[in-house]
Amino acid sequence: MEKIKKVPITRLDKYFNEDDYNLQLEWAREYIEEEENFTVILYRVDKQRVNVDSIFFDTYGHSIKFLDPVELKVKYSIEDVENKTYNEGDQQSLTFQQTGNLIFTIVNQQLEELEVDISRGDYIAVPVNETQFEYFEVIDNGKKNVDNSHTIFGYKPAFRTVVCVTANENFDDN
Amino acid sequence: MKEDKIIKHINLTDKKIGDARREESYKEIGYDTAFLPKAVDYNDIIKSFIEFVNKEINLEHIKQSNNEKTKVKVYPFEGLKKFTEFMKTWSTSDEYGDVKLPFITIIRKPNVQEGTNNSGQWNIPGFPTFNYIKIPTINNGIEGNDLYKIPVPINVDFEFTVRLFSSNIELINSFNQKIIELFSSRQFYIFPNGYPMAMILEDIGDESKYDLESRKYYVQPVVVKLMGYTIPKDKFEIVPTVNKLSVSFSVDTDVDYKISKNLIKLDFNDDNTFSSNFYYKGLTTINSVVATKDLILNSITDLTNINTYKLYIKNILIENPTFPINVNRGSRIKIEITKPYSDKNSYLNLNGNY
């Protein structure tokens, strides 16, 4: 087994340490997961089990395979619905409404506890009301969260921001 | 460069040229098919192009860390679904899910154009088909030929862009050198389903990221024009041609044949009576005669090998005939019988006055 090198974090040591970080994280999770309590459902694509076409890498029918769905508590926003047209030429016609992107922030610790990861290509379902789900496809898994805004006071990264685009409910963005 | 430059494999078999090559090509097109050559469509051409990049360009790079040789991964981007993109790259991505350098992408312009393979000439209108092969057939014991006909190929021009992404200049050089070598004699052929299709090199570009404040890597796009053609499978034709005629003769040696339905006639006697012998040969069950005079039918006698009979005058059935029956001149008298022994001849006599 590969030995993982650990480097002690000593920055901000005079007024912020691991305990403070953990406390901040606990408050953040309490706010997101208990007070706000926005739930989305993560459908992870089981890429090893999906049969794809050798040329187009496309699936036949509804043969995308998924791992067990997981409920995630996140802080999300769905961008404005846009009115667009299929015909973009001289005479614009055939309008359609395109759901805005879903952008959500999630605490890394929650994913670690659930032992799941969000990958590009996975699907997210958002229950917009009691009967309607809106489906999205992950295009940015936010895994590289080394930037300052995803840390707590620059001490350590704690969050991920995931960006998803709309997908129809058959998980098929034709 | 540490690469071994000693040639390890020498091809001892000469490549076929001229008629031998044509024959080989013909066999390739017809291989594994039922007489007709294979059809060829866009998917076959695209698949063949991807194989060309994998086999002919076939780049290898050496990892700096362990000197291990690995093949440069090729990602063909057919279709723009995000899902397909992730399915292509997930197995070779790094821990963040990003594709690792170096790699090759293949992008095809979706707007395939009318072909220039035939020097811009148009096809003959109406999708005519042309003779390909004659296949002998036997239908109900009759020998003949089916003519297999094939359509004129429809020319199409594809434009592919093959890009190498790498931070290694040696790899870029190898890629460039291979491309120049492949197209050194202007054309390079690929063989979708055995059909030769020419490709020409349109452009070698440079899209490298040289910015000081961003990640630096080389991108070398190579634009290839594929002058292909499609042969739609629904345009093939199988036409039955002239079959050999089956003519047969039979000779009847039955001496009784002198009496046939055409020979049935009315025999008029001097005492104003007449008789007519109805003869039913073999399987025959119907015979008739035309009254040449006004007649009075009196009886039907001498029934031989006859169970029942039906009498028709002017094609009208006379139910339970009660003689005498008047028959006008010109009327047809028809008698239909049933036979106890269907293979034996039957007779009856029709009698009356005139």
Side-chain angles (χ1 to χ4, degrees):
Chain A
M1 191 167 167
E2 199 182 343
K3 197 178 173 184
I4 300 168
K5 278 185 184 174
K6 282 195 171 181
V7 182
I9 307 294
T10 54
R11 53 182 170 251
L12 308 173
D13 210 17
K14 283 193 175 174
Y15 50 89
F16 197 84
N17 59 19
E18 188 69 19
D19 292 339
D20 296 318
Y21 171 81
N22 287 335
L23 181 65
Q24 291 286 338
L25 201 58
E26 198 182 319
W27 286 344
R29 287 192 67 181
E30 191 181 323
Y31 176 71
I32 293 172
E33 294 169 25
E34 290 174 26
E35 291 184 26
E36 285 198 337
N37 192 26
F38 280 77
T39 305
V40 296
I41 301 153
L42 168 67
Y43 292 92
R44 290 166 296 156
V45 176
D46 189 350
K47 296 184 174 83
Q48 277 174 321
R49 282 176 57 225
V50 179
N51 285 326
V52 287
D53 174 75
S54 61
I55 305 173
F56 301 102
F57 279 77
D58 210 345
T59 53
Y60 295 106
H62 301 287
S63 58
I64 302 176
K65 309 281 186 225
F66 295 99
L67 298 169
D68 292 339
V70 182
E71 280 193 2
L72 302 176
K73 304 290 183 187
V74 301
K75 187 173 174 58
Y76 77 72
S77 67
I78 298 175
E79 291 177 342
D80 291 347
V81 175
E82 285 183 75
N83 203 29
K84 297 203 165 193
T85 60
Y86 285 110
N87 285 333
E88 290 283 348
D90 299 334
Q91 188 181 335
Q92 296 193 352
S93 58
L94 293 173
T95 57
F96 67 95
Q97 292 191 315
Q98 184 177 289
T99 314
N101 288 353
L102 167 75
I103 301 167
F104 67 85
T105 305
I106 186 166
V107 178
N108 279 347
Q109 203 178 50
Q110 187 190 158
L111 293 172
E112 286 161 14
E113 282 172 8
L114 293 167
E115 295 182 350
V116 295
D117 193 14
I118 304 170
S119 306
R120 287 197 185 101
D122 287 346
Y123 290 88
I124 303 284
V126 178
V128 288
N129 60 35
E130 291 87 343
T131 54
Q132 186 189 348
F133 279 85
E134 201 61 43
Y135 295 90
F136 298 89
E137 188 175 5
V138 177
I139 56 160
D140 180 358
N141 59 17
K143 214 170 174 182
K144 200 171 256 187
N145 57 349
V146 294
D147 52 307
N148 267 355
S149 62
H150 289 98
T151 64
I152 295 179
F153 304 128
Y155 181 75
K156 266 199 311 195
F159 310 97
R160 277 164 77 165
T161 302
V162 179
V163 182
C164 314
V165 296
T166 183
N168 70 23
E169 63 183 274
N170 296 323
F171 297 130
D172 187 352
D173 56 355
N174 270 327
Chain B
M1 189 84 189
K2 300 167 199 73
E3 238 181 306
D4 197 349
K5 289 186 179 170
I6 297 167
I7 299 170
K8 290 178 183 169
H9 304 287
I10 299 171
N11 192 1
L12 297 173
T13 317
D14 284 341
K15 282 187 177 175
K16 290 179 178 168
I17 54 168
D19 283 345
R21 174 68 191 115
R22 284 186 198 100
E23 197 180 331
E24 188 183 48
S25 177
Y26 172 79
K27 282 178 184 167
E28 282 166 2
I29 292 165
Y31 175 73
D32 200 21
T33 63
F35 303 122
L36 278 173
K38 291 170 194 158
V40 63
D41 60 17
Y42 282 15
N43 283 359
D44 297 319
I45 296 169
I46 294 162
K47 197 175 170 185
S48 196
F49 186 85
I50 294 166
E51 275 172 19
F52 152 76
V53 175
N54 271 312
K55 285 183 185 166
E56 299 295 335
I57 299 179
N58 189 26
L59 274 188
E60 285 182 334
H61 77 108
I62 303 164
K63 276 189 180 176
Q64 300 286 342
S65 54
N66 55 7
N67 266 2
E68 189 190 330
K69 263 189 187 177
T70 50
K71 193 175 179 305
V72 176
K73 191 80 184 164
V74 177
Y75 300 118
F77 282 95
E78 276 294 330
L80 41 74
K81 278 187 180 180
K82 293 181 196 72
F83 175 78
T84 63
E85 181 187 328
F86 305 133
M87 287 310 298
K88 275 168 222 166
T89 55
W90 71 272
S91 59
T92 49
S93 304
D94 64 10
E95 58 186 301
Y96 298 109
D98 299 332
V99 184
K100 286 185 276 190
L101 291 176
F103 60 87
I104 291 172
T105 62
I106 304 169
I107 307 276
R108 179 180 62 87
K109 274 195 177 173
N111 52 336
V112 177
Q113 302 291 322
E114 285 173 333
T116 52
N117 183 41
N118 206 11
S119 308
Q121 299 290 311
W122 302 101
N123 277 11
I124 304 161
F127 293 108
T129 52
F130 295 88
N131 298 352
Y132 176 70
I133 194 169
K134 274 183 188 172
I135 302 294
T137 57
I138 294 180
N139 265 340
N140 295 328
I142 301 169
E143 213 178 308
N145 278 310
D146 277 354
L147 187 58
Y148 284 56
K149 301 175 89 178
I150 57 172
V152 182
I154 299 157
N155 295 314
V156 284
D157 278 0
F158 287 81
E159 191 179 300
F160 290 94
T161 305
V162 183
R163 282 186 178 81
L164 172 66
F165 296 78
S166 174
S167 53
N168 186 338
I169 187 65
E170 284 186 4
L171 200 61
I172 292 288
N173 289 345
S174 307
F175 176 70
N176 191 286
Q177 193 179 329
K178 280 200 174 182
I179 294 290
I180 299 282
E181 280 170 10
L182 286 170
F183 292 95
S184 58
S185 51
R186 174 69 173 158
Q187 296 177 107
F188 188 87
Y189 279 83
I190 59 170
F191 296 86
N193 285 355
Y195 294 100
M197 295 185 193
M199 298 189 299
I200 54 170
L201 183 61
E202 290 277 279
D203 184 42
I204 300 178
D206 182 23
E207 295 171 358
S208 304
K209 307 296 173 194
Y210 296 121
D211 292 353
L212 190 64
E213 294 184 1
S214 67
R215 189 181 175 192
K216 286 184 174 182
Y217 52 90
Y218 295 103
V219 184
Q220 188 152 111
V222 171
V223 183
V224 174
K225 182 176 168 187
L226 191 154
M227 295 183 292
Y229 45 88
T230 62
I231 304 177
K233 63 180 172 188
D234 57 340
K235 295 284 188 289
F236 287 94
E237 264 188 322
I238 299 174
V239 183
T241 55
V242 177
N243 292 329
K244 285 182 183 171
L245 291 174
S246 174
V247 181
S248 60
F249 297 91
S250 62
V251 179
D252 193 342
T253 56
D254 189 346
V255 290
D256 289 342
Y257 192 69
K258 61 185 179 184
I259 306 166
S260 76
K261 70 175 182 179
N262 295 326
L263 296 175
I264 292 172
K265 57 185 182 183
L266 299 165
D267 294 326
F268 295 101
N269 305 319
D270 294 339
D271 55 353
N272 284 352
T273 61
F274 76 90
S275 68
S276 178
N277 190 308
F278 276 65
Y279 170 71
Y280 300 86
K281 184 179 180 304
L283 298 171
T284 311
T285 56
I286 299 174
N287 262 333
S288 65
V289 68
V290 176
T292 50
K293 296 179 179 178
D294 289 341
L295 302 174
I296 302 164
L297 306 184
N298 285 337
S299 62
I300 293 174
T301 57
D302 303 332
L303 277 69
T304 309
N305 191 32
I306 293 172
N307 269 347
T308 59
Y309 66 84
K310 285 179 185 173
L311 176 65
Y312 296 82
I313 309 292
K314 288 183 176 177
N315 269 337
I316 297 165
L317 175 66
I318 311 296
E319 300 274 2
N320 303 318
T322 311
F323 296 103
I325 297 167
N326 289 325
V327 177
N328 295 330
R329 183 181 171 201
S331 303
R332 180 171 287 277
I333 305 162
K334 186 169 85 177
I335 303 174
E336 184 182 350
I337 61 165
T338 57
K339 293 181 174 185
Y341 304 104
S342 59
D343 55 332
K344 290 184 178 175
N345 302 336
S346 303
Y347 310 88
L348 62 81
N349 266 325
L350 180 66
N351 308 301
N353 296 90
Y354 64 93

PDB file of all heavy atoms in Angstrom, chain A residues 44-69:
ATOM      1  N   ARG A  44     -25.274   8.268 -10.204  1.00  0.00           N
ATOM      2  CA  ARG A  44     -23.921   8.062 -10.720  1.00  0.00           C
ATOM      3  C   ARG A  44     -23.948   7.036 -11.849  1.00  0.00           C
ATOM      4  O   ARG A  44     -24.506   5.950 -11.688  1.00  0.00           O
ATOM      5  CB  ARG A  44     -23.000   7.557  -9.603  1.00  0.00           C
ATOM      6  CG  ARG A  44     -22.686   8.610  -8.551  1.00  0.00           C
ATOM      7  CD  ARG A  44     -22.075   7.979  -7.333  1.00  0.00           C
ATOM      8  NE  ARG A  44     -23.024   7.071  -6.694  1.00  0.00           N
ATOM      9  CZ  ARG A  44     -22.674   6.058  -5.912  1.00  0.00           C
ATOM     10  NH1 ARG A  44     -21.407   5.820  -5.673  1.00  0.00           N
ATOM     11  NH2 ARG A  44     -23.580   5.277  -5.353  1.00  0.00           N
ATOM     12  N   VAL A  45     -23.360   7.398 -12.990  1.00  0.00           N
ATOM     13  CA  VAL A  45     -23.328   6.476 -14.133  1.00  0.00           C
ATOM     14  C   VAL A  45     -22.285   5.399 -13.842  1.00  0.00           C
ATOM     15  O   VAL A  45     -21.145   5.703 -13.476  1.00  0.00           O
ATOM     16  CB  VAL A  45     -22.969   7.227 -15.433  1.00  0.00           C
ATOM     17  CG1 VAL A  45     -22.831   6.260 -16.596  1.00  0.00           C
ATOM     18  CG2 VAL A  45     -24.018   8.274 -15.743  1.00  0.00           C
ATOM     19  N   ASP A  46     -22.712   4.162 -13.988  1.00  0.00           N
ATOM     20  CA  ASP A  46     -21.780   3.049 -13.814  1.00  0.00           C
ATOM     21  C   ASP A  46     -21.085   2.820 -15.153  1.00  0.00           C
ATOM     22  O   ASP A  46     -21.518   2.001 -15.969  1.00  0.00           O
ATOM     23  CB  ASP A  46     -22.547   1.805 -13.367  1.00  0.00           C
ATOM     24  CG  ASP A  46     -21.606   0.692 -12.962  1.00  0.00           C
ATOM     25  OD1 ASP A  46     -20.396   0.825 -13.208  1.00  0.00           O
ATOM     26  OD2 ASP A  46     -22.081  -0.302 -12.396  1.00  0.00           O
ATOM     27  N   LYS A  47     -20.022   3.559 -15.381  1.00  0.00           N
ATOM     28  CA  LYS A  47     -19.426   3.620 -16.725  1.00  0.00           C
ATOM     29  C   LYS A  47     -18.868   2.267 -17.165  1.00  0.00           C
ATOM     30  O   LYS A  47     -18.790   1.980 -18.353  1.00  0.00           O
ATOM     31  CB  LYS A  47     -18.349   4.688 -16.757  1.00  0.00           C
ATOM     32  CG  LYS A  47     -18.915   6.082 -16.522  1.00  0.00           C
ATOM     33  CD  LYS A  47     -17.853   7.142 -16.646  1.00  0.00           C
ATOM     34  CE  LYS A  47     -18.424   8.539 -16.546  1.00  0.00           C
ATOM     35  NZ  LYS A  47     -18.614   9.010 -15.194  1.00  0.00           N
ATOM     36  N   GLN A  48     -18.480   1.452 -16.224  1.00  0.00           N
ATOM     37  CA  GLN A  48     -17.942   0.141 -16.601  1.00  0.00           C
ATOM     38  C   GLN A  48     -19.028  -0.784 -17.148  1.00  0.00           C
ATOM     39  O   GLN A  48     -18.746  -1.681 -17.917  1.00  0.00           O
ATOM     40  CB  GLN A  48     -17.284  -0.518 -15.398  1.00  0.00           C
ATOM     41  CG  GLN A  48     -15.868  -0.011 -15.201  1.00  0.00           C
ATOM     42  CD  GLN A  48     -15.231  -0.538 -13.947  1.00  0.00           C
ATOM     43  OE1 GLN A  48     -15.903  -0.642 -12.925  1.00  0.00           O
ATOM     44  NE2 GLN A  48     -13.961  -0.819 -14.002  1.00  0.00           N
ATOM     45  N   ARG A  49     -20.255  -0.557 -16.721  1.00  0.00           N
ATOM     46  CA  ARG A  49     -21.338  -1.456 -17.133  1.00  0.00           C
ATOM     47  C   ARG A  49     -22.137  -0.932 -18.330  1.00  0.00           C
ATOM     48  O   ARG A  49     -22.993  -1.644 -18.854  1.00  0.00           O
ATOM     49  CB  ARG A  49     -22.290  -1.702 -15.954  1.00  0.00           C
ATOM     50  CG  ARG A  49     -21.726  -2.708 -14.952  1.00  0.00           C
ATOM     51  CD  ARG A  49     -22.634  -2.855 -13.756  1.00  0.00           C
ATOM     52  NE  ARG A  49     -23.963  -3.250 -14.112  1.00  0.00           N
ATOM     53  CZ  ARG A  49     -25.075  -2.706 -13.616  1.00  0.00           C
ATOM     54  NH1 ARG A  49     -24.999  -1.712 -12.746  1.00  0.00           N
ATOM     55  NH2 ARG A  49     -26.248  -3.122 -13.980  1.00  0.00           N
ATOM     56  N   VAL A  50     -21.854   0.282 -18.738  1.00  0.00           N
ATOM     57  CA  VAL A  50     -22.608   0.833 -19.873  1.00  0.00           C
ATOM     58  C   VAL A  50     -22.031   0.282 -21.174  1.00  0.00           C
ATOM     59  O   VAL A  50     -20.824   0.334 -21.391  1.00  0.00           O
ATOM     60  CB  VAL A  50     -22.529   2.380 -19.886  1.00  0.00           C
ATOM     61  CG1 VAL A  50     -23.280   2.941 -21.079  1.00  0.00           C
ATOM     62  CG2 VAL A  50     -23.085   2.945 -18.613  1.00  0.00           C
ATOM     63  N   ASN A  51     -22.903  -0.262 -21.998  1.00  0.00           N
ATOM     64  CA  ASN A  51     -22.456  -0.721 -23.323  1.00  0.00           C
ATOM     65  C   ASN A  51     -22.564   0.439 -24.298  1.00  0.00           C
ATOM     66  O   ASN A  51     -23.636   1.005 -24.457  1.00  0.00           O
ATOM     67  CB  ASN A  51     -23.348  -1.854 -23.825  1.00  0.00           C
ATOM     68  CG  ASN A  51     -23.038  -3.138 -23.114  1.00  0.00           C
ATOM     69  OD1 ASN A  51     -21.885  -3.389 -22.774  1.00  0.00           O
ATOM     70  ND2 ASN A  51     -24.051  -3.935 -22.868  1.00  0.00           N
ATOM     71  N   VAL A  52     -21.448   0.765 -24.925  1.00  0.00           N
ATOM     72  CA  VAL A  52     -21.490   1.879 -25.869  1.00  0.00           C
ATOM     73  C   VAL A  52     -21.067   1.419 -27.254  1.00  0.00           C
ATOM     74  O   VAL A  52     -20.319   0.454 -27.404  1.00  0.00           O
ATOM     75  CB  VAL A  52     -20.591   3.058 -25.419  1.00  0.00           C
ATOM     76  CG1 VAL A  52     -21.196   3.795 -24.264  1.00  0.00           C
ATOM     77  CG2 VAL A  52     -19.192   2.599 -25.099  1.00  0.00           C
ATOM     78  N   ASP A  53     -21.556   2.135 -28.234  1.00  0.00           N
ATOM     79  CA  ASP A  53     -21.221   1.893 -29.622  1.00  0.00           C
ATOM     80  C   ASP A  53     -19.741   2.206 -29.851  1.00  0.00           C
ATOM     81  O   ASP A  53     -19.218   3.152 -29.281  1.00  0.00           O
ATOM     82  CB  ASP A  53     -22.120   2.809 -30.467  1.00  0.00           C
ATOM     83  CG  ASP A  53     -21.773   2.754 -31.916  1.00  0.00           C
ATOM     84  OD1 ASP A  53     -22.101   1.764 -32.564  1.00  0.00           O
ATOM     85  OD2 ASP A  53     -21.155   3.709 -32.396  1.00  0.00           O
ATOM     86  N   SER A  54     -19.090   1.399 -30.700  1.00  0.00           N
ATOM     87  CA  SER A  54     -17.641   1.565 -30.855  1.00  0.00           C
ATOM     88  C   SER A  54     -17.256   2.826 -31.614  1.00  0.00           C
ATOM     89  O   SER A  54     -16.152   3.330 -31.473  1.00  0.00           O
ATOM     90  CB  SER A  54     -17.062   0.350 -31.562  1.00  0.00           C
ATOM     91  OG  SER A  54     -17.650   0.240 -32.835  1.00  0.00           O
ATOM     92  N   ILE A  55     -18.147   3.328 -32.442  1.00  0.00           N
ATOM     93  CA  ILE A  55     -17.809   4.533 -33.207  1.00  0.00           C
ATOM     94  C   ILE A  55     -18.311   5.772 -32.478  1.00  0.00           C
ATOM     95  O   ILE A  55     -17.570   6.714 -32.229  1.00  0.00           O
ATOM     96  CB  ILE A  55     -18.453   4.522 -34.611  1.00  0.00           C
ATOM     97  CG1 ILE A  55     -18.069   3.248 -35.355  1.00  0.00           C
ATOM     98  CG2 ILE A  55     -18.032   5.739 -35.410  1.00  0.00           C
ATOM     99  CD1 ILE A  55     -18.789   3.097 -36.672  1.00  0.00           C
ATOM    100  N   PHE A  56     -19.573   5.761 -32.133  1.00  0.00           N
ATOM    101  CA  PHE A  56     -20.191   6.973 -31.601  1.00  0.00           C
ATOM    102  C   PHE A  56     -20.184   7.013 -30.077  1.00  0.00           C
ATOM    103  O   PHE A  56     -20.563   8.004 -29.489  1.00  0.00           O
ATOM    104  CB  PHE A  56     -21.629   7.086 -32.113  1.00  0.00           C
ATOM    105  CG  PHE A  56     -21.713   7.137 -33.612  1.00  0.00           C
ATOM    106  CD1 PHE A  56     -22.065   6.034 -34.352  1.00  0.00           C
ATOM    107  CD2 PHE A  56     -21.393   8.304 -34.287  1.00  0.00           C
ATOM    108  CE1 PHE A  56     -22.116   6.074 -35.724  1.00  0.00           C
ATOM    109  CE2 PHE A  56     -21.441   8.356 -35.663  1.00  0.00           C
ATOM    110  CZ  PHE A  56     -21.800   7.243 -36.378  1.00  0.00           C
ATOM    111  N   PHE A  57     -19.769   5.953 -29.453  1.00  0.00           N
ATOM    112  CA  PHE A  57     -19.748   5.852 -27.985  1.00  0.00           C
ATOM    113  C   PHE A  57     -21.114   6.173 -27.395  1.00  0.00           C
ATOM    114  O   PHE A  57     -21.217   6.691 -26.297  1.00  0.00           O
ATOM    115  CB  PHE A  57     -18.671   6.779 -27.387  1.00  0.00           C
ATOM    116  CG  PHE A  57     -17.308   6.174 -27.440  1.00  0.00           C
ATOM    117  CD1 PHE A  57     -16.595   6.152 -28.616  1.00  0.00           C
ATOM    118  CD2 PHE A  57     -16.746   5.607 -26.313  1.00  0.00           C
ATOM    119  CE1 PHE A  57     -15.344   5.569 -28.692  1.00  0.00           C
ATOM    120  CE2 PHE A  57     -15.493   5.020 -26.371  1.00  0.00           C
ATOM    121  CZ  PHE A  57     -14.796   5.007 -27.558  1.00  0.00           C
ATOM    122  N   ASP A  58     -22.139   5.876 -28.163  1.00  0.00           N
ATOM    123  CA  ASP A  58     -23.491   6.155 -27.718  1.00  0.00           C
ATOM    124  C   ASP A  58     -24.111   4.863 -27.189  1.00  0.00           C
ATOM    125  O   ASP A  58     -23.643   3.777 -27.494  1.00  0.00           O
ATOM    126  CB  ASP A  58     -24.323   6.680 -28.903  1.00  0.00           C
ATOM    127  CG  ASP A  58     -25.401   7.615 -28.442  1.00  0.00           C
ATOM    128  OD1 ASP A  58     -25.683   7.628 -27.231  1.00  0.00           O
ATOM    129  OD2 ASP A  58     -25.963   8.323 -29.281  1.00  0.00           O
ATOM    130  N   THR A  59     -25.180   5.028 -26.406  1.00  0.00           N
ATOM    131  CA  THR A  59     -25.845   3.848 -25.881  1.00  0.00           C
ATOM    132  C   THR A  59     -27.069   3.558 -26.724  1.00  0.00           C
ATOM    133  O   THR A  59     -27.603   4.435 -27.388  1.00  0.00           O
ATOM    134  CB  THR A  59     -26.300   4.078 -24.435  1.00  0.00           C
ATOM    135  OG1 THR A  59     -27.061   5.268 -24.395  1.00  0.00           O
ATOM    136  CG2 THR A  59     -25.128   4.161 -23.497  1.00  0.00           C
ATOM    137  N   TYR A  60     -27.515   2.324 -26.692  1.00  0.00           N
ATOM    138  CA  TYR A  60     -28.715   1.946 -27.419  1.00  0.00           C
ATOM    139  C   TYR A  60     -29.897   1.934 -26.451  1.00  0.00           C
ATOM    140  O   TYR A  60     -29.833   1.278 -25.416  1.00  0.00           O
ATOM    141  CB  TYR A  60     -28.549   0.575 -28.052  1.00  0.00           C
ATOM    142  CG  TYR A  60     -27.473   0.579 -29.097  1.00  0.00           C
ATOM    143  CD1 TYR A  60     -26.249  -0.009 -28.861  1.00  0.00           C
ATOM    144  CD2 TYR A  60     -27.683   1.226 -30.315  1.00  0.00           C
ATOM    145  CE1 TYR A  60     -25.258   0.013 -29.827  1.00  0.00           C
ATOM    146  CE2 TYR A  60     -26.706   1.261 -31.280  1.00  0.00           C
ATOM    147  CZ  TYR A  60     -25.491   0.643 -31.034  1.00  0.00           C
ATOM    148  OH  TYR A  60     -24.520   0.684 -31.988  1.00  0.00           O
ATOM    149  N   GLY A  61     -30.920   2.659 -26.799  1.00  0.00           N
ATOM    150  CA  GLY A  61     -32.108   2.703 -25.942  1.00  0.00           C
ATOM    151  C   GLY A  61     -31.757   3.299 -24.595  1.00  0.00           C
ATOM    152  O   GLY A  61     -30.974   4.233 -24.483  1.00  0.00           O
ATOM    153  N   HIS A  62     -32.368   2.751 -23.570  1.00  0.00           N
ATOM    154  CA  HIS A  62     -32.128   3.287 -22.229  1.00  0.00           C
ATOM    155  C   HIS A  62     -31.155   2.380 -21.491  1.00  0.00           C
ATOM    156  O   HIS A  62     -31.464   1.831 -20.452  1.00  0.00           O
ATOM    157  CB  HIS A  62     -33.446   3.401 -21.476  1.00  0.00           C
ATOM    158  CG  HIS A  62     -34.428   4.283 -22.184  1.00  0.00           C
ATOM    159  ND1 HIS A  62     -34.301   5.647 -22.224  1.00  0.00           N
ATOM    160  CD2 HIS A  62     -35.520   3.976 -22.909  1.00  0.00           C
ATOM    161  CE1 HIS A  62     -35.289   6.146 -22.935  1.00  0.00           C
ATOM    162  NE2 HIS A  62     -36.038   5.157 -23.364  1.00  0.00           N
ATOM    163  N   SER A  63     -30.001   2.208 -22.074  1.00  0.00           N
ATOM    164  CA  SER A  63     -29.079   1.228 -21.491  1.00  0.00           C
ATOM    165  C   SER A  63     -27.991   1.876 -20.638  1.00  0.00           C
ATOM    166  O   SER A  63     -26.987   1.248 -20.351  1.00  0.00           O
ATOM    167  CB  SER A  63     -28.459   0.383 -22.588  1.00  0.00           C
ATOM    168  OG  SER A  63     -27.796   1.203 -23.493  1.00  0.00           O
ATOM    169  N   ILE A  64     -28.181   3.117 -20.233  1.00  0.00           N
ATOM    170  CA  ILE A  64     -27.224   3.717 -19.300  1.00  0.00           C
ATOM    171  C   ILE A  64     -27.423   3.029 -17.948  1.00  0.00           C
ATOM    172  O   ILE A  64     -28.539   2.908 -17.463  1.00  0.00           O
ATOM    173  CB  ILE A  64     -27.452   5.238 -19.163  1.00  0.00           C
ATOM    174  CG1 ILE A  64     -27.335   5.927 -20.522  1.00  0.00           C
ATOM    175  CG2 ILE A  64     -26.443   5.843 -18.199  1.00  0.00           C
ATOM    176  CD1 ILE A  64     -27.640   7.406 -20.490  1.00  0.00           C
ATOM    177  N   LYS A  65     -26.343   2.566 -17.393  1.00  0.00           N
ATOM    178  CA  LYS A  65     -26.434   1.867 -16.098  1.00  0.00           C
ATOM    179  C   LYS A  65     -26.042   2.833 -14.976  1.00  0.00           C
ATOM    180  O   LYS A  65     -25.099   3.607 -15.126  1.00  0.00           O
ATOM    181  CB  LYS A  65     -25.493   0.665 -16.067  1.00  0.00           C
ATOM    182  CG  LYS A  65     -25.642  -0.265 -17.248  1.00  0.00           C
ATOM    183  CD  LYS A  65     -26.835  -1.156 -17.093  1.00  0.00           C
ATOM    184  CE  LYS A  65     -26.882  -2.174 -18.210  1.00  0.00           C
ATOM    185  NZ  LYS A  65     -28.163  -2.350 -18.803  1.00  0.00           N
ATOM    186  N   PHE A  66     -26.780   2.730 -13.889  1.00  0.00           N
ATOM    187  CA  PHE A  66     -26.527   3.624 -12.761  1.00  0.00           C
ATOM    188  C   PHE A  66     -26.184   2.847 -11.495  1.00  0.00           C
ATOM    189  O   PHE A  66     -26.663   1.730 -11.295  1.00  0.00           O
ATOM    190  CB  PHE A  66     -27.764   4.484 -12.477  1.00  0.00           C
ATOM    191  CG  PHE A  66     -28.106   5.420 -13.586  1.00  0.00           C
ATOM    192  CD1 PHE A  66     -29.101   5.105 -14.495  1.00  0.00           C
ATOM    193  CD2 PHE A  66     -27.417   6.615 -13.741  1.00  0.00           C
ATOM    194  CE1 PHE A  66     -29.413   5.962 -15.531  1.00  0.00           C
ATOM    195  CE2 PHE A  66     -27.724   7.480 -14.779  1.00  0.00           C
ATOM    196  CZ  PHE A  66     -28.722   7.152 -15.667  1.00  0.00           C
ATOM    197  N   LEU A  67     -25.391   3.492 -10.674  1.00  0.00           N
ATOM    198  CA  LEU A  67     -25.190   2.980  -9.319  1.00  0.00           C
ATOM    199  C   LEU A  67     -26.393   3.444  -8.494  1.00  0.00           C
ATOM    200  O   LEU A  67     -27.236   4.203  -8.977  1.00  0.00           O
ATOM    201  CB  LEU A  67     -23.879   3.536  -8.740  1.00  0.00           C
ATOM    202  CG  LEU A  67     -22.609   3.125  -9.503  1.00  0.00           C
ATOM    203  CD1 LEU A  67     -21.417   3.947  -9.024  1.00  0.00           C
ATOM    204  CD2 LEU A  67     -22.329   1.645  -9.309  1.00  0.00           C
ATOM    205  N   ASP A  68     -26.427   3.023  -7.244  1.00  0.00           N
ATOM    206  CA  ASP A  68     -27.568   3.405  -6.414  1.00  0.00           C
ATOM    207  C   ASP A  68     -27.670   4.927  -6.284  1.00  0.00           C
ATOM    208  O   ASP A  68     -26.656   5.593  -6.061  1.00  0.00           O
ATOM    209  CB  ASP A  68     -27.406   2.816  -5.006  1.00  0.00           C
ATOM    210  CG  ASP A  68     -27.520   1.305  -5.043  1.00  0.00           C
ATOM    211  OD1 ASP A  68     -28.091   0.796  -6.017  1.00  0.00           O
ATOM    212  OD2 ASP A  68     -27.030   0.642  -4.115  1.00  0.00           O
ATOM    213  N   PRO A  69     -28.873   5.488  -6.416  1.00  0.00           N
ATOM    214  CA  PRO A  69     -29.007   6.937  -6.253  1.00  0.00           C
ATOM    215  C   PRO A  69     -28.715   7.372  -4.813  1.00  0.00           C
ATOM    216  O   PRO A  69     -28.939   6.605  -3.877  1.00  0.00           O
ATOM    217  CB  PRO A  69     -30.457   7.216  -6.624  1.00  0.00           C
ATOM    218  CG  PRO A  69     -31.149   5.924  -6.591  1.00  0.00           C
ATOM    219  CD  PRO A  69     -30.144   4.845  -6.739  1.00  0.00           C
TER     220      PRO A  69
END
